[in-house]
Amino acid sequence: MADLQFDGSSADAAEQFDAVIVGASLAGSASAIMLARAGARVALLEQRPDAGAYKKICSHYIQSSAIATLERLGLLEPMLRAGAVRSRVRLHGPWGWVEPSERSTVPSGVNLRREVLDPLIRATAAETPGVELLVGQTVGELLREGESTCGVRAHDRNGQTTNLRARLVVGADGRGSRVAKLAGAAESRHRNERFAYGAYFEGPAPKGSPDASFWLLDPDMAAAFPTDAGLTFYAAMPTKQRLMPFREDPVKALVEFIASVPDAPPIEVSRIVGVPEGKLDMTNVSHKPTAPGLALIGDAALAADPLWGVGCGWALQSAEWLADGVGAALGEPRASAEEGALASGLQRYARSHRRALRGHKAMIYDYSSGRKMQLPERLLFSTATYDQGVARVMEAYGSRNIGPARMILTGTPRAIVAKARRPLMRRGEHATRRVALSGAAGEVSRGER
């Protein structure tokens, strides 16, 4: 659909905001809260008419890297009161379990069903002074002044059209972002050779609870996320060669798949709650996150393979990076706003997004091809099963507190040294055991005499 050129005439009269945010899920609500706190007047648009709507297809796990963002939003404590579970991640690879280290320096992640979390964060946004929540609004066109986006044209289910003009339009409308398409944002797509099914179960807690458990089956994946209300979210993300049984009977296939993993959780003696949700196309999609008068956040900017559970955390963090970049410019009265301040703020946001996520994005894209683990990955995962130093590096990377470069630079030398030392340690253990046994035999001989 063509963009609407806005010329400020009476026929195009529009309500004025500092920011119009399209999408009132995690990213959109978080950005509305932070921008309003910076002094901006914000319109938060949600296509669904129900303010209690929530995203259904999601692992619902928020990575450790976003905990500081939740605290800044003032959401962590309300989430815990609503039943959220704080958890680390234990990971099973071909060499056994990599358990969370007691000496870990990264915070625990948090798990709360989106059925609870989405209404909570949306209500927090709606209650924030300066935010106007508008539900049941679908954006059909962008308003333009020259090359710059300056607002949106939205309509409700009755066809009533509203123009909302703003200094900044924020696309927070997910993987298939309509805002990105309307803006003609540069897009890249990378295939994903996995699919996903998941469902909630009630029953015995998986081993290691409240920590989440991942099984990297190389190349398939399974997971168990203990969450609120005594439920566990079980997820399967196999390669597409395994798709047919899931198409025929999703519940049976999900239970059998999870029950077949090493040291399997108790899914067979648990009861499914609701119906399994599936996603067959998980193509990695990224857009250029900024343009004049426009920013994209959350999945609208980068929708990566959900195997690693990064979507919720990055939605919250990208909202924070945007607010930090443009908040000061939007918080100033329009008449006194510094020329170019918003453009500079958008540049800062784009840099923050690129620096934080480009390395993770590259590695996630590569592994989503369905390939098996490569030699450096095998070295790190295998060594982490017995070396706490390597395990801590892997946890910091897996929880997105450090990037791939730091993981490689710090983890690989540790793993090589630990791998070299292990045979020596084992020989030492055997020698100590032989001495102990011979000593014990001597004592027995002397006693018999």
Side-chain angles (χ1 to χ4, degrees):
M1 189 177 293
D3 296 324
L4 179 69
Q5 297 294 324
F6 185 89
D7 61 11
S9 68
S10 58
D12 286 321
E15 191 166 0
Q16 301 282 338
F17 291 90
D18 295 305
V20 171
I21 300 171
V22 183
S25 191
L26 299 187
S29 295
S31 62
I33 293 167
M34 291 188 172
L35 290 176
R37 287 178 182 173
R41 183 176 180 228
V42 179
L44 178 59
L45 276 60
E46 172 56 45
Q47 183 175 4
R48 296 166 295 186
D50 179 10
Y54 61 95
K55 184 176 181 179
K56 293 184 178 180
I57 303 177
C58 182
S59 71
H60 308 174
Y61 184 71
I62 299 177
Q63 289 280 12
S64 165
S65 59
I67 295 302
T69 308
L70 286 174
E71 291 175 329
R72 181 175 171 184
L73 287 165
L75 282 169
L76 185 57
E77 287 303 319
M79 288 172 64
L80 294 174
R81 289 195 296 271
V85 174
R86 294 299 301 270
S87 64
R88 297 189 182 278
V89 174
R90 51 199 302 269
L91 188 147
H92 191 286
W95 306 272
W97 285 104
V98 179
E99 299 282 358
S101 171
E102 293 180 357
R103 297 172 58 193
S104 174
T105 57
V106 303
S108 299
V110 63
N111 207 336
L112 181 65
R113 287 174 299 150
R114 295 291 292 271
E115 182 178 356
V116 181
L117 176 57
D118 286 18
L120 174 61
I121 191 171
R122 192 175 297 120
T124 302
E127 293 165 2
T128 302
V131 176
E132 186 172 342
L133 175 63
L134 305 172
V135 299
Q137 296 290 326
T138 299
V139 171
E141 297 170 283
L142 299 181
L143 309 181
R144 298 275 193 164
E145 285 184 346
E147 296 298 315
S148 181
T149 301
C150 65
V152 303
R153 170 169 282 179
H155 62 270
D156 62 21
R157 293 196 168 190
N158 297 320
Q160 182 67 39
T161 299
T162 305
N163 287 351
L164 303 170
R165 192 177 185 191
R167 296 154 70 185
L168 177 67
V169 171
V170 180
D173 50 341
R175 178 181 288 268
S177 173
R178 181 169 178 78
V179 171
K181 289 181 174 63
L182 290 172
E187 177 184 273
S188 67
R189 303 175 70 87
H190 293 262
R191 69 190 177 100
N192 190 331
E193 291 302 317
R194 294 186 182 83
F195 64 95
Y197 272 90
Y200 288 103
F201 287 75
E202 64 176 11
K207 183 180 178 181
S209 294
D211 291 335
S213 297
F214 277 76
W215 287 265
L216 283 178
L217 304 170
D218 199 21
D220 297 330
M221 176 276 218
F225 298 95
T227 188
D228 61 290
L231 301 177
T232 299
F233 184 76
Y234 288 110
M237 293 188 186
T239 54
K240 290 181 177 178
Q241 291 90 329
R242 292 178 174 265
L243 180 57
M244 188 56 67
F246 284 86
R247 281 186 180 275
E248 294 173 348
D249 191 336
V251 176
K252 182 174 182 287
L254 177 62
V255 171
E256 289 182 350
F257 184 84
I258 299 295
S260 71
V261 304
D263 199 8
I267 190 171
E268 290 183 307
V269 294
S270 300
R271 183 181 69 85
I272 192 168
V273 176
V275 297
E277 301 285 349
K279 192 168 183 63
L280 305 186
D281 180 7
M282 302 193 298
T283 302
N284 301 282
V285 183
S286 65
H287 293 107
K288 184 180 178 183
T290 61
L294 179 79
L296 301 173
I297 56 177
D299 281 353
L302 173 58
D305 185 354
L307 184 150
W308 304 107
V310 295
C312 293
W314 287 354
L316 296 165
Q317 289 179 272
S318 60
E320 182 176 27
W321 299 330
L322 176 64
D324 287 344
V326 305
L330 291 181
E332 289 291 326
R334 185 182 298 266
S336 61
E338 180 184 346
E339 185 73 24
L342 179 57
S344 297
L346 287 172
Q347 290 176 356
R348 285 193 295 274
Y349 164 61
R351 284 196 301 270
S352 296
H353 194 280
R354 181 174 62 251
R355 289 171 180 171
L357 302 186
R358 62 182 170 184
H360 291 291
K361 178 176 75 171
M363 294 192 79
I364 288 172
Y365 281 6
D366 180 46
Y367 195 65
S368 69
S369 66
R371 66 164 176 80
K372 284 183 167 289
M373 281 190 279
Q374 297 170 344
L375 182 59
E377 295 162 332
R378 295 171 68 86
L379 171 67
L380 289 167
F381 279 112
S382 62
T383 310
T385 61
Y386 60 83
D387 185 273
Q388 286 293 300
V390 177
R392 287 195 297 276
V393 173
M394 295 299 290
E395 182 186 20
Y397 169 69
S399 60
R400 310 301 153 178
N401 284 281
I402 64 172
R406 187 172 169 190
M407 183 264 291
I408 292 168
L409 290 173
T410 58
T412 304
R414 278 180 174 270
I416 292 171
V417 171
K419 204 83 169 177
R421 288 179 57 197
R422 198 177 191 206
L424 297 175
M425 293 174 64
R426 283 179 168 177
R427 285 199 293 272
E429 290 169 2
H430 292 325
T432 301
R433 186 168 181 269
R434 285 196 299 271
V435 169
L437 288 173
S438 63
E443 290 172 5
V444 169
S445 300
R446 286 193 295 272
E448 289 176 345
R449 288 196 296 269

